mmCIF file of all heavy atoms in Angstrom:
data_model
loop_
_atom_site.group_PDB
_atom_site.id
_atom_site.type_symbol
_atom_site.label_atom_id
_atom_site.label_comp_id
_atom_site.label_asym_id
_atom_site.label_seq_id
_atom_site.Cartn_x
_atom_site.Cartn_y
_atom_site.Cartn_z
ATOM 1 N N GLY A 1 55.593 -108.286 222.917
ATOM 2 C CA GLY A 1 55.317 -109.503 222.150
ATOM 3 C C GLY A 1 53.943 -110.076 222.428
ATOM 4 O O GLY A 1 53.253 -110.550 221.521
ATOM 5 N N LEU A 2 53.507 -110.015 223.693
ATOM 6 C CA LEU A 2 52.177 -110.510 224.030
ATOM 7 C C LEU A 2 51.088 -109.649 223.402
ATOM 8 O O LEU A 2 50.067 -110.170 222.943
ATOM 9 C CB LEU A 2 52.002 -110.568 225.548
ATOM 10 C CG LEU A 2 52.825 -111.635 226.264
ATOM 11 C CD1 LEU A 2 52.647 -111.501 227.772
ATOM 12 C CD2 LEU A 2 52.440 -113.015 225.803
ATOM 13 N N TRP A 3 51.279 -108.339 223.382
ATOM 14 C CA TRP A 3 50.278 -107.461 222.783
ATOM 15 C C TRP A 3 50.182 -107.664 221.278
ATOM 16 O O TRP A 3 49.090 -107.645 220.719
ATOM 17 C CB TRP A 3 50.554 -106.000 223.103
ATOM 18 C CG TRP A 3 50.024 -105.631 224.440
ATOM 19 C CD1 TRP A 3 50.745 -105.385 225.564
ATOM 20 C CD2 TRP A 3 48.646 -105.505 224.806
ATOM 21 N NE1 TRP A 3 49.895 -105.118 226.603
ATOM 22 C CE2 TRP A 3 48.610 -105.178 226.170
ATOM 23 C CE3 TRP A 3 47.455 -105.644 224.120
ATOM 24 C CZ2 TRP A 3 47.415 -104.982 226.857
ATOM 25 C CZ3 TRP A 3 46.278 -105.449 224.809
ATOM 26 C CH2 TRP A 3 46.256 -105.116 226.156
ATOM 27 N N ILE A 4 51.327 -107.842 220.637
ATOM 28 C CA ILE A 4 51.307 -108.101 219.187
ATOM 29 C C ILE A 4 50.540 -109.387 218.905
ATOM 30 O O ILE A 4 49.695 -109.453 218.011
ATOM 31 C CB ILE A 4 52.737 -108.182 218.625
ATOM 32 C CG1 ILE A 4 53.414 -106.820 218.682
ATOM 33 C CG2 ILE A 4 52.751 -108.723 217.196
ATOM 34 C CD1 ILE A 4 52.805 -105.780 217.806
ATOM 35 N N GLY A 5 50.800 -110.434 219.674
ATOM 36 C CA GLY A 5 50.097 -111.697 219.487
ATOM 37 C C GLY A 5 48.610 -111.583 219.763
ATOM 38 O O GLY A 5 47.786 -112.090 219.007
ATOM 39 N N LEU A 6 48.247 -110.897 220.843
ATOM 40 C CA LEU A 6 46.834 -110.753 221.197
ATOM 41 C C LEU A 6 46.073 -109.936 220.158
ATOM 42 O O LEU A 6 44.970 -110.306 219.756
ATOM 43 C CB LEU A 6 46.706 -110.109 222.580
ATOM 44 C CG LEU A 6 45.297 -109.999 223.132
ATOM 45 C CD1 LEU A 6 44.728 -111.392 223.375
ATOM 46 C CD2 LEU A 6 45.296 -109.194 224.410
ATOM 47 N N VAL A 7 46.660 -108.852 219.698
ATOM 48 C CA VAL A 7 46.002 -108.025 218.677
ATOM 49 C C VAL A 7 45.848 -108.801 217.374
ATOM 50 O O VAL A 7 44.807 -108.720 216.709
ATOM 51 C CB VAL A 7 46.781 -106.710 218.472
ATOM 52 C CG1 VAL A 7 46.339 -105.992 217.227
ATOM 53 C CG2 VAL A 7 46.619 -105.813 219.684
ATOM 54 N N THR A 8 46.848 -109.578 217.007
ATOM 55 C CA THR A 8 46.760 -110.387 215.787
ATOM 56 C C THR A 8 45.646 -111.419 215.887
ATOM 57 O O THR A 8 44.877 -111.614 214.936
ATOM 58 C CB THR A 8 48.105 -111.080 215.520
ATOM 59 O OG1 THR A 8 49.142 -110.100 215.481
ATOM 60 C CG2 THR A 8 48.077 -111.831 214.207
ATOM 61 N N ILE A 9 45.518 -112.071 217.039
ATOM 62 C CA ILE A 9 44.455 -113.061 217.219
ATOM 63 C C ILE A 9 43.084 -112.403 217.165
ATOM 64 O O ILE A 9 42.164 -112.909 216.516
ATOM 65 C CB ILE A 9 44.662 -113.835 218.541
ATOM 66 C CG1 ILE A 9 45.875 -114.751 218.421
ATOM 67 C CG2 ILE A 9 43.430 -114.645 218.901
ATOM 68 C CD1 ILE A 9 46.279 -115.418 219.713
ATOM 69 N N VAL A 10 42.930 -111.250 217.824
ATOM 70 C CA VAL A 10 41.642 -110.561 217.828
ATOM 71 C C VAL A 10 41.254 -110.113 216.419
ATOM 72 O O VAL A 10 40.112 -110.298 215.981
ATOM 73 C CB VAL A 10 41.666 -109.363 218.804
ATOM 74 C CG1 VAL A 10 40.463 -108.469 218.613
ATOM 75 C CG2 VAL A 10 41.734 -109.852 220.235
ATOM 76 N N VAL A 11 42.199 -109.547 215.690
ATOM 77 C CA VAL A 11 41.911 -109.082 214.322
ATOM 78 C C VAL A 11 41.563 -110.265 213.416
ATOM 79 O O VAL A 11 40.634 -110.179 212.599
ATOM 80 C CB VAL A 11 43.106 -108.279 213.759
ATOM 81 C CG1 VAL A 11 42.984 -108.054 212.269
ATOM 82 C CG2 VAL A 11 43.217 -106.954 214.492
ATOM 83 N N THR A 12 42.260 -111.380 213.565
ATOM 84 C CA THR A 12 41.985 -112.548 212.739
ATOM 85 C C THR A 12 40.606 -113.137 213.043
ATOM 86 O O THR A 12 39.858 -113.506 212.127
ATOM 87 C CB THR A 12 43.072 -113.613 212.949
ATOM 88 O OG1 THR A 12 44.345 -113.021 212.759
ATOM 89 C CG2 THR A 12 42.905 -114.752 211.982
ATOM 90 N N ILE A 13 40.235 -113.202 214.319
ATOM 91 C CA ILE A 13 38.915 -113.723 214.676
ATOM 92 C C ILE A 13 37.814 -112.780 214.194
ATOM 93 O O ILE A 13 36.769 -113.226 213.712
ATOM 94 C CB ILE A 13 38.831 -113.995 216.190
ATOM 95 C CG1 ILE A 13 39.708 -115.198 216.530
ATOM 96 C CG2 ILE A 13 37.399 -114.256 216.630
ATOM 97 C CD1 ILE A 13 39.830 -115.477 218.005
ATOM 98 N N MET A 14 38.028 -111.480 214.301
ATOM 99 C CA MET A 14 37.035 -110.526 213.799
ATOM 100 C C MET A 14 36.888 -110.640 212.280
ATOM 101 O O MET A 14 35.779 -110.537 211.757
ATOM 102 C CB MET A 14 37.413 -109.098 214.198
ATOM 103 C CG MET A 14 37.254 -108.825 215.674
ATOM 104 S SD MET A 14 35.598 -109.148 216.293
ATOM 105 C CE MET A 14 34.672 -107.938 215.403
ATOM 106 N N ALA A 15 37.997 -110.846 211.576
ATOM 107 C CA ALA A 15 37.910 -111.044 210.123
ATOM 108 C C ALA A 15 37.127 -112.307 209.792
ATOM 109 O O ALA A 15 36.340 -112.333 208.836
ATOM 110 C CB ALA A 15 39.313 -111.117 209.525
ATOM 111 N N GLY A 16 37.307 -113.359 210.583
ATOM 112 C CA GLY A 16 36.531 -114.577 210.389
ATOM 113 C C GLY A 16 35.054 -114.365 210.646
ATOM 114 O O GLY A 16 34.207 -114.890 209.925
ATOM 115 N N CYS A 17 34.727 -113.577 211.676
ATOM 116 C CA CYS A 17 33.314 -113.274 211.958
ATOM 117 C C CYS A 17 32.683 -112.477 210.822
ATOM 118 O O CYS A 17 31.551 -112.753 210.410
ATOM 119 C CB CYS A 17 33.200 -112.498 213.267
ATOM 120 S SG CYS A 17 33.549 -113.482 214.725
ATOM 121 N N ILE A 18 33.404 -111.507 210.302
ATOM 122 C CA ILE A 18 32.884 -110.698 209.190
ATOM 123 C C ILE A 18 32.699 -111.557 207.946
ATOM 124 O O ILE A 18 31.673 -111.453 207.252
ATOM 125 C CB ILE A 18 33.809 -109.500 208.928
ATOM 126 C CG1 ILE A 18 33.722 -108.517 210.099
ATOM 127 C CG2 ILE A 18 33.465 -108.805 207.618
ATOM 128 C CD1 ILE A 18 34.770 -107.429 210.074
ATOM 129 N N ALA A 19 33.661 -112.426 207.653
ATOM 130 C CA ALA A 19 33.532 -113.306 206.486
ATOM 131 C C ALA A 19 32.366 -114.271 206.647
ATOM 132 O O ALA A 19 31.668 -114.579 205.674
ATOM 133 C CB ALA A 19 34.835 -114.081 206.275
ATOM 134 N N THR A 20 32.114 -114.718 207.861
ATOM 135 C CA THR A 20 30.978 -115.612 208.108
ATOM 136 C C THR A 20 29.660 -114.893 207.900
ATOM 137 O O THR A 20 28.730 -115.451 207.301
ATOM 138 C CB THR A 20 31.059 -116.184 209.534
ATOM 139 O OG1 THR A 20 32.313 -116.859 209.683
ATOM 140 C CG2 THR A 20 29.937 -117.142 209.797
ATOM 141 N N VAL A 21 29.563 -113.657 208.366
ATOM 142 C CA VAL A 21 28.337 -112.877 208.154
ATOM 143 C C VAL A 21 28.111 -112.642 206.662
ATOM 144 O O VAL A 21 26.981 -112.745 206.167
ATOM 145 C CB VAL A 21 28.400 -111.551 208.935
ATOM 146 C CG1 VAL A 21 27.296 -110.605 208.514
ATOM 147 C CG2 VAL A 21 28.333 -111.815 210.421
ATOM 148 N N VAL A 22 29.176 -112.368 205.935
ATOM 149 C CA VAL A 22 29.047 -112.169 204.492
ATOM 150 C C VAL A 22 28.601 -113.470 203.809
ATOM 151 O O VAL A 22 27.790 -113.434 202.877
ATOM 152 C CB VAL A 22 30.372 -111.646 203.891
ATOM 153 C CG1 VAL A 22 30.350 -111.670 202.380
ATOM 154 C CG2 VAL A 22 30.653 -110.245 204.387
ATOM 155 N N SER A 23 29.089 -114.610 204.290
ATOM 156 C CA SER A 23 28.670 -115.880 203.682
ATOM 157 C C SER A 23 27.189 -116.159 203.937
ATOM 158 O O SER A 23 26.515 -116.720 203.081
ATOM 159 C CB SER A 23 29.521 -117.037 204.203
ATOM 160 O OG SER A 23 29.180 -117.372 205.523
ATOM 161 N N PHE A 24 26.674 -115.768 205.109
ATOM 162 C CA PHE A 24 25.234 -115.897 205.348
ATOM 163 C C PHE A 24 24.454 -114.930 204.468
ATOM 164 O O PHE A 24 23.383 -115.259 203.960
ATOM 165 C CB PHE A 24 24.899 -115.634 206.827
ATOM 166 C CG PHE A 24 25.118 -116.821 207.703
ATOM 167 C CD1 PHE A 24 26.023 -116.761 208.736
ATOM 168 C CD2 PHE A 24 24.415 -117.991 207.497
ATOM 169 C CE1 PHE A 24 26.223 -117.847 209.559
ATOM 170 C CE2 PHE A 24 24.611 -119.084 208.316
ATOM 171 C CZ PHE A 24 25.526 -119.015 209.350
ATOM 172 N N TRP A 25 24.973 -113.739 204.290
ATOM 173 C CA TRP A 25 24.292 -112.719 203.489
ATOM 174 C C TRP A 25 24.226 -113.116 202.014
ATOM 175 O O TRP A 25 23.228 -112.868 201.337
ATOM 176 C CB TRP A 25 25.023 -111.382 203.659
ATOM 177 C CG TRP A 25 24.425 -110.259 202.912
ATOM 178 C CD1 TRP A 25 23.186 -109.718 203.066
ATOM 179 C CD2 TRP A 25 25.039 -109.526 201.868
ATOM 180 N NE1 TRP A 25 23.000 -108.686 202.194
ATOM 181 C CE2 TRP A 25 24.137 -108.547 201.439
ATOM 182 C CE3 TRP A 25 26.285 -109.579 201.251
ATOM 183 C CZ2 TRP A 25 24.425 -107.653 200.420
ATOM 184 C CZ3 TRP A 25 26.579 -108.686 200.258
ATOM 185 C CH2 TRP A 25 25.633 -107.740 199.856
ATOM 186 N N ARG A 26 25.294 -113.764 201.528
ATOM 187 C CA ARG A 26 25.332 -114.175 200.129
ATOM 188 C C ARG A 26 24.595 -115.491 199.867
ATOM 189 O O ARG A 26 24.495 -115.913 198.724
ATOM 190 C CB ARG A 26 26.786 -114.362 199.687
ATOM 191 C CG ARG A 26 27.502 -113.061 199.477
ATOM 192 C CD ARG A 26 28.946 -113.315 199.128
ATOM 193 N NE ARG A 26 29.079 -114.412 198.187
ATOM 194 C CZ ARG A 26 29.919 -114.427 197.181
ATOM 195 N NH1 ARG A 26 30.705 -113.408 196.978
ATOM 196 N NH2 ARG A 26 29.999 -115.458 196.389
ATOM 197 N N VAL A 27 24.125 -116.162 200.892
ATOM 198 C CA VAL A 27 23.429 -117.455 200.815
ATOM 199 C C VAL A 27 24.304 -118.469 200.061
ATOM 200 O O VAL A 27 23.934 -119.014 199.034
ATOM 201 C CB VAL A 27 22.035 -117.321 200.168
ATOM 202 C CG1 VAL A 27 21.233 -118.594 200.331
ATOM 203 C CG2 VAL A 27 21.273 -116.140 200.724
ATOM 204 N N GLU A 28 25.493 -118.698 200.602
ATOM 205 C CA GLU A 28 26.415 -119.645 199.987
ATOM 206 C C GLU A 28 26.011 -121.073 200.336
ATOM 207 O O GLU A 28 25.506 -121.343 201.412
ATOM 208 C CB GLU A 28 27.844 -119.370 200.465
ATOM 209 C CG GLU A 28 28.392 -118.042 199.986
ATOM 210 C CD GLU A 28 29.799 -117.794 200.458
ATOM 211 O OE1 GLU A 28 30.282 -118.504 201.351
ATOM 212 O OE2 GLU A 28 30.422 -116.868 199.930
ATOM 213 N N HIS A 29 26.248 -121.987 199.386
ATOM 214 C CA HIS A 29 25.929 -123.397 199.582
ATOM 215 C C HIS A 29 27.218 -124.186 199.579
ATOM 216 O O HIS A 29 28.115 -123.890 198.807
ATOM 217 C CB HIS A 29 25.002 -123.907 198.469
ATOM 218 C CG HIS A 29 23.653 -123.294 198.526
ATOM 219 N ND1 HIS A 29 22.736 -123.605 199.495
ATOM 220 C CD2 HIS A 29 23.067 -122.357 197.748
ATOM 221 C CE1 HIS A 29 21.636 -122.907 199.297
ATOM 222 N NE2 HIS A 29 21.817 -122.133 198.229
ATOM 223 N N PRO A 30 27.419 -125.175 200.386
ATOM 224 C CA PRO A 30 26.519 -125.765 201.365
ATOM 225 C C PRO A 30 26.407 -124.900 202.619
ATOM 226 O O PRO A 30 27.382 -124.314 203.071
ATOM 227 C CB PRO A 30 27.166 -127.110 201.696
ATOM 228 C CG PRO A 30 28.611 -126.912 201.433
ATOM 229 C CD PRO A 30 28.685 -125.918 200.309
ATOM 230 N N ARG A 31 25.205 -124.829 203.167
ATOM 231 C CA ARG A 31 24.935 -123.983 204.328
ATOM 232 C C ARG A 31 25.645 -124.490 205.577
ATOM 233 O O ARG A 31 25.933 -123.715 206.475
ATOM 234 C CB ARG A 31 23.437 -123.916 204.606
ATOM 235 C CG ARG A 31 22.622 -123.280 203.516
ATOM 236 C CD ARG A 31 22.849 -121.822 203.399
ATOM 237 N NE ARG A 31 22.243 -121.139 204.533
ATOM 238 C CZ ARG A 31 22.402 -119.865 204.774
ATOM 239 N NH1 ARG A 31 23.119 -119.132 203.971
ATOM 240 N NH2 ARG A 31 21.840 -119.312 205.814
#
C-alpha cells in the first residue's frame, strides 16, 4: 500500500512538472 501511494504521488508530481514546462513553452497567459 505504501509503494502504491508513493508511486502515485511521484507520477502525479512528474505530470505536473511536465505540464508546467509545456505551459512555459506555449507562452500561456497569465504568466
Side-chain angles (χ1 to χ4, degrees):
L2 290 175
W3 277 108
I4 292 294
L6 185 65
V7 167
T8 305
I9 290 172
V10 168
V11 167
T12 308
I13 290 174
M14 289 304 296
C17 289
I18 291 169
T20 303
V21 168
V22 170
S23 74
F24 278 119
W25 181 63
R26 285 177 42 140
V27 191
E28 293 180 347
H29 293 288
R31 296 290 288 173

